[in-house]
């Protein structure tokens, strides 16, 4: 994997770049739709590629390990062959999912023992095991196994957690370097900066991660309950340390406004379940603000869902029809909303890239943030 930094905004830290993998190129900044169990919920491949214009999607190590399992994935020839998506993919390490299993997981220096949320069976994730699993899944970019510390953790625990994450990273790197990809194309390993909301821990972690000279770097443990101002502060602090010639991935973030603020602070890659999860519950994000499609005000509004939208669903259906589908609990409602939201998110990062290249991102962003925050 390579990264070319192509443009920087003269009045902010916003950047536009190009990631090249064996499955294709990714123009940054980029939003990555989340395909937890090998599928982006309610979205067909053709919609994902041609309408939403996804350049890269995510898979989840924890969920794919449990179902369909490594044997099936390896027989298929990896996740690309299994789900048919022939563009770049990224897998997280499963760390966030494992650590969220409060009460059914036990952490040791060796790794984390946990029970499956599906059938209660017991499993062990170690840094070495996770590297082997991600080799078998076969994504182009794979994440190191880390401990995702709660946003409200006390300093002592957060410090121990960062140090453990660093020790696990060294084991991940050793295993990654000692193994080969399984399907004939290269994989890149991204370490993850942790440290909760403590500046000295974030600085310590960013410096340690930067010293590893990885192909790219991630910022984890944010958007997990901390105030949004703290999140932005930690992003700024971390990106001031992470190398400028490598892509920076802010994990699990977030709202359209979060994404624009992250871009302004030098983030290149984002992912979040919000566009699909909120879409399935009737919330649509648009360039003019947020719509709750279950509201009565749309019941007799026969205008297109979004006249200026970037997806075919925006003009193929009306607001009144989409509201009807939600109230009738039709599956099509969730599909339309998910397609719209993902297409909007991809439009937003393309628009951000355009303004970075034109050199006016810092001037464009405030008015866009105001529009995106409006409730329609």
């Amino acid at each position: 994997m390579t990264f070319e930094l192509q443009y920087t905004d003269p009045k902010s830290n916003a950047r536009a770049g190009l990631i090249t993998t064996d499955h294709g190129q990714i123009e940054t900044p980029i939003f990555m739709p989340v395909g937890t169990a090998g599928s982006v919920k309610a979205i067909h491949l053709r919609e994902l590629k041609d309408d939403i214009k996804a350049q890269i999607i995510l898979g989840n190590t924890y969920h794919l390990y449990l179902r369909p399992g490594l044997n099936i994935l390896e027989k298929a020839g990896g996740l690309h062959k299994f789900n048919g998506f022939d563009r770049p993919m990224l897998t997280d390490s499963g760390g966030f999912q494992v650590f969220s299993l409060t009460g059914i997981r036990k952490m040791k220096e060796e790794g984390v023992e946990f029970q499956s949320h599906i059938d209660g069976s017991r499993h062990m994730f170690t840094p070495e095991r996770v590297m082997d699993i991600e080799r078998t899944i076969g994504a182009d970019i794979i994440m190191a196994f880390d401990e995702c510390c709660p946003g409200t953790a006390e300093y002592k625990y957060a410090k121990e957690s960062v140090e453990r994450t660093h020790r696990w990273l060294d084991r991940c790197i050793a295993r990654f370097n000692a193994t080969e990809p399984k399907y004939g194309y290269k994989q890149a390993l991204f370490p993850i900066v942790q440290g909760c909301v403590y500046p000295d821990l974030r600085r310590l972690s960013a410096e340690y991660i930067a010293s590893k000279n990885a192909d790219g770097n991630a910022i984890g443990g944010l958007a997990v309950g901390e105030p949004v101002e703290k999140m932005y502060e930690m992003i700024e602090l971390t990106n001031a340390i992470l190398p400028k010639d490598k892509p920076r991935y802010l994990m699990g973030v977030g709202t359209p406004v979060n994404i624009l603020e992250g871009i302004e602070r030098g983030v290149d890659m984002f992912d979040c379940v919000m566009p699909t999860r909120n879409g399935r519950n009737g919330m649509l994000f648009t360039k003019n603000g947020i719509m709750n499609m279950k509201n009565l005000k749309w019941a007799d509004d026969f205008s297109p869902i979004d006249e200026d939208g970037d997806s075919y669903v925006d003009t193929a259906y009306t607001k009144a029809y989409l509201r009807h589908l939600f109230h009738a609990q039709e599956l099509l409602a969730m599909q339309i909303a998910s397609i719209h939201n993902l297409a909007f998110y991809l439009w937003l990062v393309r628009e951000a890239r355009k303004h970075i290249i034109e050199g006016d991102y810092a001037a464009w962003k405030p008015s866009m943030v105001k529009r995106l925050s409006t409730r329609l």
Side-chain angles (χ1 to χ4, degrees):
M1 193 205 85
T2 61
F3 176 67
E4 177 191 354
L5 182 57
Q6 298 172 309
Y7 303 92
T8 53
D9 182 58
K11 294 186 178 178
S12 76
N13 289 316
R15 328 145 17 111
L18 186 68
I19 298 171
T20 302
T21 76
D22 286 352
H23 279 99
Q25 294 187 318
I26 306 154
E27 293 182 333
T28 65
I30 192 65
F31 179 82
M32 304 179 282
V34 178
T36 301
S39 77
V40 179
K41 281 186 171 54
I43 308 293
H44 289 294
L45 266 182
R46 186 160 59 181
E47 293 160 342
L48 196 58
K49 293 170 68 173
D50 299 341
D51 194 47
I52 293 163
K53 301 181 180 68
Q55 298 181 47
I56 175 173
I57 64 171
L58 265 70
N60 180 268
T61 291
Y62 167 83
H63 289 282
L64 290 167
Y65 162 79
L66 291 176
R67 220 168 26 191
L70 301 183
N71 183 45
I72 296 295
L73 287 168
E74 188 152 18
K75 281 183 178 178
L79 185 57
H80 288 90
K81 293 283 182 65
F82 189 58
N83 73 359
F85 191 76
D86 57 2
R87 295 177 184 175
M89 282 198 227
L90 180 151
T91 44
D92 63 12
S93 67
F96 178 81
Q97 284 71 30
V98 168
F99 287 102
S100 68
L101 297 172
T102 309
I104 54 173
R105 53 96 169 158
K106 187 184 298 182
M107 189 164 59
K108 313 169 185 176
E109 182 61 29
E110 180 189 357
V112 184
E113 184 181 8
F114 62 94
Q115 286 181 261
S116 163
H117 72 285
I118 299 167
D119 60 9
S121 57
R122 293 190 174 276
H123 305 268
M124 184 78 175
F125 271 9
T126 66
E128 294 81 7
R129 179 70 173 136
V130 168
M131 290 297 95
D132 293 346
I133 293 168
E134 291 193 85
R135 286 290 201 197
T136 298
I137 296 171
D140 302 88
I141 299 170
I142 68 177
M143 305 307 299
F145 189 53
D146 64 327
E147 179 182 354
C148 186
C149 191
T152 55
E154 294 182 359
Y155 182 87
K156 182 175 182 293
Y157 183 87
K159 186 171 188 295
E160 291 171 354
S161 174
V162 164
E163 291 167 348
R164 184 180 298 112
T165 287
H166 294 171
R167 291 192 298 273
W168 285 358
L169 172 60
D170 288 341
R171 290 166 58 188
C172 284
I173 292 171
R175 185 59 157 232
F176 181 80
N177 290 339
T179 57
E180 294 292 331
K182 292 191 172 186
Y183 309 114
Y185 52 85
K186 295 183 179 67
Q187 293 179 288
L189 174 64
F190 281 24
I192 303 171
V193 176
Q194 290 288 352
C196 207
V197 293
Y198 301 106
D200 61 325
L201 296 183
R202 282 282 168 185
R203 190 172 294 109
L204 170 76
S205 188
E207 288 171 350
Y208 193 82
I209 267 61
S211 74
K212 299 302 173 181
N213 195 33
D215 287 325
N217 301 290
I219 306 169
L222 294 176
V224 287
E226 79 284 355
V228 70
E229 295 78 13
K230 271 289 177 189
M231 177 174 75
Y232 297 149
E233 179 190 338
M234 294 303 104
I235 294 169
E236 285 182 24
L237 186 157
T238 302
N239 279 344
I241 297 166
L242 292 178
K244 289 182 168 57
D245 61 344
K246 304 291 177 66
R248 302 157 175 165
Y249 164 29
L250 179 59
M251 305 182 74
V253 178
T255 67
V257 170
N258 291 158
I259 288 172
L260 293 186
E261 296 288 356
I263 289 171
E264 185 177 49
R265 291 161 173 81
V267 175
D268 305 298
M269 305 167 70
F270 302 84
D271 81 283
C272 191
V273 297
M274 183 172 284
T276 45
R277 178 177 290 169
N278 288 31
R280 293 194 302 274
N281 288 294
M283 179 182 284
L284 264 60
F285 299 100
T286 78
K287 58 193 73 173
N288 294 310
I290 301 166
M291 297 192 295
N292 181 348
M293 298 313 299
K294 295 181 180 180
N295 285 352
L296 180 61
K297 67 183 293 185
W298 310 118
D300 59 354
D301 187 333
F302 303 108
S303 64
I305 292 170
D306 186 355
E307 291 177 346
D308 198 25
D310 211 52
S311 165
Y312 81 94
V313 300
D314 294 326
T315 52
Y317 304 105
T318 66
K319 296 181 181 75
Y321 180 62
L322 182 55
R323 180 187 183 273
H324 156 70
L325 293 177
F326 272 111
H327 279 269
Q329 298 184 335
E330 287 287 339
L331 294 177
L332 182 58
M334 296 186 279
Q335 189 173 13
I336 291 170
S338 297
I339 293 169
H340 162 84
N341 279 350
L342 285 174
F344 168 73
Y345 267 61
L346 268 295
W347 171 85
L348 184 65
V349 291
R350 285 197 306 274
E351 195 72 4
R353 178 181 167 87
K354 184 181 85 174
H355 285 283
I356 293 167
I357 292 170
E358 292 173 354
D360 65 349
Y361 182 83
W364 167 80
K365 192 214 78 175
S367 61
M368 198 67 203
V369 164
K370 186 176 181 181
R371 287 168 63 188
L372 295 176
S373 304
T374 304
R375 292 273 174 170
L376 300 174

